[in-house]
Amino acid sequence: MFTMEMFKKPFFATTFVLFMILCDVSLATKDNQKNTYIVHMAKSKMPASFNHHSVWYKSIMKSISNSTEMLYTYDNTIHGLSTRLTLEEARLLKSQTGILKVLPEKIYKPLTTRTPKFLGLDKIADMFPKSNEASDIVIGLLDTGVWPESKSFEDTGLGPIPSSWKGKCESGDNFTTLNCNKKLIGARFFLKGYEASMGPLNATNQFRSPRDADGHGTHTASTAAGSAVKGASLFGYASGTARGMASRARVAVYKVCWGDTCAVSDILAAMDAAISDNVNVISASLGGGAIDYDEENLAIGAFAAMEKGIVVSCAAGNTGPDSSSLQNIAPWMITVGAGTLDRDFPVNVNLGNGQNYSGVSIYDGKFSRHTLVPLIYAGNASAKIGAELCETDSLDPKKVKGKIVLCDRGNSSRVEKGLVVKSAGGVGMVLANSESDGEELVADAHLLPTTAVGFKAGKLIKLYLQDARKPTSRLMFEGTKVGIEPSPVVAAFSSRGPNPITPEVLKPDFIAPGVNILAAFTKLVGPTNLDQDDRRVDFNIISGTSMACPHASGIAALIKSFHPDWSPAAIRSALMTTAYTTYNNGKKLLDSATNGPSTPFEVGAGHVNPVAALNPGLVYDLAVDDYLNFLCALNYTPDRIEVVARRKFRCNAHKHYSVTDLNYPSFGVVFKPKVGGSGATIVKHKRTLTNVGDAGTYKVSVTVDISSVKIAVEPNVLSFNKNEKKSYTITFTVSGPPPPSNFGFGRLEWSNGKNVVGSPISITWESGRA
Ligand SMILES: *[C@@H]1O[C@H](CO)[C@@H](O)[C@H](O)[C@H]1NC(C)=O
Ligand SMILES: *[C@@H]1O[C@H](CO)[C@@H](O)[C@H](O)[C@H]1NC(C)=O
Ligand SMILES: *[C@@H]1O[C@H](CO)[C@@H](O)[C@H](O)[C@H]1NC(C)=O
Ligand SMILES: *[C@@H]1O[C@H](CO)[C@@H](O)[C@H](O)[C@H]1NC(C)=O
Ligand SMILES: *[C@@H]1O[C@H](CO)[C@@H](O)[C@H](O)[C@H]1NC(C)=O
Ligand SMILES: *[C@@H]1O[C@H](CO)[C@@H](O)[C@H](O)[C@H]1NC(C)=O
């Protein structure tokens, strides 16, 4: 899951252990210690004597050990299985005929709130009640499960379950088949991989069933496809009708995350099931870092899903604003970054000197509106170093009692800091952003009155603290404010480009709402997820690219219902080419990390625009072969291609493959250095457009923000009949020295006067390491 700053310690511990086992054999003390491996096999090498691949898999395993413990045999996502092996067994297995790759288990994490109105979906909501197509679409969510009693999963008005549906509703702890209905049509759980690595599930705070003990999965599922619920709010905040993006689509839940731990062997098993179950969209608000496509099992599973026409939509990660911090970047996935809504929960902090600073947060209790109380900086409220972060046990109650405490953001979770201040006797908290958080304001349902302020305000409040003899302050809660401008603004936490694996494929694809999103929640834990939080809510407000992803998944489902024959690539193209990059006043969308204009590295093609995406005019389509050619262009060996694509595919030695020919709706232009000489000065990208609108003539226009590259498009006018395809070439020619940053950005647009088909351009000069 991509819940921001909700990283719990066990996750780091696990990653570390696995890492040591993999990378340093000498550290593995016990020879007989077993670990989980995902074994990719070359089915093409299966001897004819085996009548089923599972029998062959077993016989290979038997040949290396009489005691291997099989976790899963995969049928759709990969040819292979997951199993427990000692290091020696894993080594032995790698040398067997038919074994392509033996990958160690990996732990992925969930990546963690006015949405329909802001997106303009209120306009199209009225278009759906008549359409049964929308209700035939199934969205599968790989997440922490579901709280089925939530009103977001009521099935009022929905017809029978689509006949194509092959999934099921599994029972378990506090979950029976009766918990499913015509909205929540599937619910399954996968934990063999989890238990093999982490030990038995702790049943005191987890359900051995699809039931959600965390809230993340309920939130993402209701965001993607929740039914309309009138009068939804969190403690009165953000009140209104809560509605998923595709409010008539069906929900199938695949629980793969147990707390913050999602084992990739379980994720693959869930994707395997989702493919057989016939979902149309897979929504994955989780991630495990950026690694090459043939080592990344989620990307490999997504390839199989894509082949079946399933859209795979993923969170881009919450490790911004560092550059190249993206994950889930395979070109057959949708990679979604996060932006703000036009809604805020303002809390002003008034200082004793009369100054006011605005921040945000949510508080359900009583607070004194009028009295100024002493204000203290956490860094000065303890003998301990590091107290400024308000980490557990860092504050001195004698110094904090009765005061508002200014804490710096970072390291521990934001709500945990509030608990630390409260436990030490503080009456309020001002949570100040670090420089890298910039002016991004994330609202949480804190356990004490709080305001989260930007980096600049934090600095000024600290100046006041230094200068004032007796600093005081009070918090003024303003409730919910809508119509905030500017919006959207890119979240500082949203992961950014350039693409760390293939810079020619510009990622993220686009941004969607991911800050302060209201959606359904579990009733097992409170809105802060802290043990000490005994509040229970129907809806919670949380933030993360985890929240942006299901917005995209839901909108993809809507497009699929309008255009059932469109490929996942065509759907992504529609989402990208219709996204917007500027506000109504023509200024570029802002990035809260810098408070300056965003670039394609933060927003990709821009902010998603669901209404426009239904009628994009033209699309950049891609088929399975195009992705295979892409792998050839990356010089993948036949074995590496077989790991990703589950088939023998030999790149044609006489054919020239180029990653710049991948028919992607964006342009990652890379000028590479040459050995011992100056770098490349010309880069060409080829593209093919398919007309999905009326016949007509489109003209191209290109803008670029640097003068050192000239851009030419050939041809620059394209006339289309209905459904016709036309190709063009875009040539980037260096005509001057690169800018100091080594980056430039631009945009290409094809327009027929009605549809504007836009593509972002990034231009990068790679530094001369060759
Ligand atoms: C498995 O057991 C059989 C029979 O006991 C033995 O012959 C064989 O060598 C064993 N295989 C391995 C890999 O230990
Ligand atoms: C789970 O079900 C049991 C038995 O019906 C019940 O006692 C318990 O309260 C339930 N737990 C939760 C958290 O709903
Ligand atoms: C299970 O979780 C509970 C509540 O968080 C905790 O008190 C207990 O120690 C845990 N048990 C184990 C075996 O980890
Ligand atoms: C600060 O806000 C309070 C009420 O929120 C208002 O009375 C006061 O005039 C404001 N002061 C400044 C300097 O804006
Ligand atoms: C933040 O946490 C990390 C890891 O626990 C620690 O190494 C680092 O010192 C902490 N930073 C501060 C400022 O306390
Ligand atoms: C912290 O305390 C020191 C020493 O009393 C003082 O100089 C400094 O201004 C204080 N800093 C803040 C931010 O309150």
Side-chain angles (χ1 to χ4, degrees):
M1 304 181 286
F2 285 133
T3 317
M4 310 174 44
E5 293 172 30
M6 286 202 154
F7 294 47
K8 290 175 192 153
K9 281 171 192 112
F11 167 67
F12 291 110
T14 316
T15 324
F16 185 56
V17 170
L18 293 175
F19 180 77
M20 290 204 310
I21 290 166
L22 305 175
C23 301
D24 193 339
V25 175
S26 64
L27 283 176
T29 44
K30 284 186 228 127
D31 289 345
N32 57 354
Q33 190 185 320
K34 296 211 175 205
N35 291 290
T36 305
Y37 292 89
I38 296 111
V39 183
H40 293 256
M41 326 255 272
K43 207 168 164 185
S44 55
K45 301 222 172 78
M46 179 169 92
S49 52
F50 292 96
N51 56 7
H52 194 265
H53 58 265
S54 59
V55 184
W56 179 52
Y57 296 168
K58 281 197 187 112
S59 108
I60 292 198
M61 299 316 294
K62 198 104 193 168
S63 72
I64 60 139
S65 164
N66 280 333
S67 65
T68 53
E69 173 199 339
M70 193 88 94
L71 296 177
Y72 298 103
T73 301
Y74 304 106
D75 294 321
N76 302 311
T77 46
I78 70 169
H79 288 150
L81 50 96
S82 49
T83 182
R84 305 280 292 166
L85 299 170
T86 65
L87 267 178
E88 176 59 20
E89 288 164 351
R91 201 188 51 74
L92 214 91
L93 184 60
K94 277 180 194 159
S95 63
Q96 305 291 307
T97 312
I99 300 295
L100 289 168
K101 220 170 194 106
V102 180
L103 290 171
E105 177 71 294
K106 226 179 150 240
I107 303 300
Y108 285 34
K109 290 178 57 64
L111 307 170
T112 312
T113 127
R114 197 173 154 161
T115 333
K117 189 158 184 222
F118 179 75
L119 288 172
L121 268 184
D122 51 332
K123 295 192 203 85
I124 54 170
D126 299 335
M127 298 161 67
F128 285 100
K130 289 160 239 127
S131 119
N132 280 322
E133 287 78 26
S135 65
D136 284 346
I137 303 294
V138 185
I139 306 179
L141 296 110
L142 308 178
D143 216 301
T144 63
V146 66
W147 196 263
E149 291 82 9
S150 168
K151 286 198 164 73
S152 295
F153 305 112
E154 284 184 358
D155 63 359
T156 317
L158 284 172
I161 291 169
S163 56
S164 58
W165 179 242
K166 300 275 181 287
K168 54 182 166 193
C169 189
E170 293 177 343
S171 49
D173 287 353
N174 295 58
F175 203 97
T176 73
T177 54
L178 295 175
N179 286 120
C180 288
N181 59 18
K182 289 179 286 180
K183 170 54 99 179
L184 180 63
I185 63 171
R188 309 177 70 156
F189 61 104
F190 301 85
L191 85 165
K192 284 186 196 160
Y194 172 92
E195 290 194 309
S197 289
M198 312 295 293
L201 187 72
N202 184 343
T204 55
N205 52 14
Q206 276 289 350
F207 301 101
R208 184 180 285 274
S209 77
R211 184 173 288 275
D212 182 7
D214 181 276
H216 188 273
T218 302
H219 201 278
T220 54
S222 58
T223 298
S227 301
V229 183
K230 289 197 179 115
S233 80
L234 172 62
F235 306 135
Y237 288 87
S239 66
T241 300
R243 187 203 306 269
M245 290 296 104
S247 56
R248 292 179 59 78
R250 318 291 178 137
V251 174
V253 157
Y254 298 86
K255 181 171 174 182
V256 296
C257 296
W258 304 84
D260 273 358
T261 305
C262 332
V264 80
S265 57
D266 291 330
I267 293 172
L268 270 183
M271 293 180 92
D272 229 64
I275 292 171
S276 337
D277 293 351
N278 270 334
V279 304
N280 303 104
V281 176
I282 291 177
S283 189
S285 289
L286 43 80
I291 37 175
D292 213 339
Y293 313 119
D294 61 328
E295 310 257 320
E296 217 269 89
N297 283 300
L298 178 54
I300 295 169
F303 193 97
M306 171 274 294
E307 282 187 285
K308 295 267 162 66
I310 301 168
V311 175
V312 182
S313 158
C314 301
N318 297 339
T319 44
D322 292 351
S323 67
S324 282
S325 49
L326 294 165
Q327 40 191 321
N328 296 325
I329 47 180
W332 46 89
M333 289 169 148
I334 302 182
T335 313
V336 192
T340 61
L341 293 172
D342 63 341
R343 179 185 64 200
D344 233 334
F345 311 104
V347 184
N348 295 326
V349 49
N350 305 163
L351 302 182
N353 64 1
Q355 282 171 332
N356 282 341
Y357 298 101
S358 61
V360 302
S361 95
I362 290 153
Y363 186 59
D364 64 318
K366 288 195 167 32
F367 50 90
S368 163
R369 271 192 88 81
H370 300 295
T371 356
L372 284 161
V373 300
L375 176 69
I376 185 166
Y377 180 47
N380 275 352
S382 167
K384 269 194 190 165
I385 295 169
E388 64 276 2
L389 290 167
C390 294
E391 295 191 275
T392 308
D393 294 331
S394 65
L395 299 177
D396 179 352
K398 287 199 286 296
K399 293 183 177 159
V400 165
K401 193 170 185 330
K403 294 180 184 167
I404 292 177
V405 181
L406 175 82
C407 301
D408 288 332
R409 189 170 154 188
N411 264 23
S412 58
S413 85
R414 302 179 302 272
V415 288
E416 227 171 291
K417 294 170 194 281
L419 179 64
V420 169
V421 172
K422 190 180 183 195
S423 307
V427 297
M429 173 169 76
V430 176
L431 184 59
N433 276 355
S434 68
E435 189 159 13
S436 68
D437 304 318
E439 300 307 307
E440 159 189 293
L441 297 181
V442 180
D444 300 289
H446 287 278
L447 289 163
L448 87 172
T450 293
T451 187
V453 301
F455 175 65
K456 286 184 199 153
K459 235 165 85 173
L460 292 167
I461 299 169
K462 283 177 196 163
L463 281 179
Y464 164 71
L465 276 163
Q466 284 166 15
D467 293 345
R469 218 164 38 84
K470 284 194 164 158
T472 56
S473 69
R474 66 182 157 194
L475 301 177
M476 307 292 285
F477 286 75
E478 311 269 308
T480 304
K481 212 165 149 184
V482 297
I484 299 288
E485 285 186 36
S487 61
V489 173
V490 186
F493 64 74
S494 189
S495 288
R496 288 117 201 277
N499 182 329
I501 305 291
T502 317
E504 290 84 356
V505 179
L506 179 55
K507 293 271 185 174
D509 292 316
F510 53 86
I511 61 168
V515 181
N516 303 339
I517 304 298
L518 178 84
F521 207 63
T522 180
K523 287 273 200 168
L524 186 74
V525 295
T528 59
N529 282 73
L530 296 172
D531 291 343
Q532 295 84 347
D533 188 350
D534 53 16
R535 302 170 297 179
R536 295 296 178 263
V537 297
D538 294 317
F539 290 87
N540 197 7
I541 293 174
I542 52 180
S543 301
T545 51
S546 271
M547 280 65 247
C549 166
H551 280 92
S553 310
I555 299 164
L558 287 179
I559 298 176
K560 180 87 186 165
S561 67
F562 269 73
H563 306 288
D565 55 329
W566 283 14
S567 70
I571 291 172
R572 177 178 55 200
S573 177
L575 289 164
M576 288 174 69
T577 61
T578 57
Y580 58 92
T581 57
T582 61
Y583 302 109
N584 287 339
N585 63 10
K587 295 227 161 75
K588 283 212 168 73
L589 302 184
L590 291 176
D591 175 5
S592 57
T594 59
N595 232 17
S598 62
T599 74
F601 284 159
E602 292 89 44
V603 301
H607 192 280
V608 69
N609 180 351
V611 178
L614 292 176
N615 290 300
L618 308 171
V619 296
Y620 294 89
D621 205 357
L622 281 162
V624 178
D625 279 352
D626 299 308
Y627 293 116
L628 294 171
N629 291 340
F630 167 79
L631 295 175
C632 289
L634 295 176
N635 290 320
Y636 267 42
T637 60
D639 276 3
R640 291 185 72 194
I641 293 180
E642 192 164 354
V643 170
V644 176
R646 306 173 329 287
R647 74 179 75 173
K648 287 198 89 57
F649 182 82
R650 212 163 267 289
C651 305
N652 183 340
H654 304 292
K655 194 169 160 186
H656 173 74
Y657 297 95
S658 174
V659 285
T660 60
D661 290 348
L662 182 73
N663 201 32
Y664 215 76
S666 57
F667 300 92
V669 180
V670 182
F671 291 112
K672 291 202 154 80
K674 273 186 194 153
V675 183
S678 58
T681 53
I682 295 186
V683 168
K684 283 181 195 284
H685 283 241
K686 278 204 198 100
R687 294 293 186 271
T688 300
L689 284 160
T690 305
N691 181 20
V692 293
D694 297 331
T697 299
Y698 283 78
K699 288 185 181 142
V700 80
S701 66
V702 182
T703 53
V704 62
D705 66 359
I706 46 172
S707 56
S708 45
V709 170
K710 296 276 168 282
I711 302 177
V713 180
E714 178 57 39
N716 58 14
V717 177
L718 293 172
S719 290
F720 293 91
N721 292 320
K722 258 190 135 99
N723 302 318
E724 199 179 8
K725 287 180 189 288
K726 289 274 169 84
S727 298
Y728 69 93
T729 300
I730 177 167
T731 306
F732 302 86
T733 308
V734 173
S735 59
S741 65
N742 280 331
F743 292 124
F745 300 99
R747 190 170 165 83
L748 169 147
E749 290 182 350
W750 289 96
S751 173
N752 63 354
K754 193 172 110 231
N755 293 102
V756 177
V757 185
S759 292
I761 299 169
S762 69
I763 301 169
T764 310
W765 281 263
E766 283 191 350
S767 56
R769 263 182 304 152

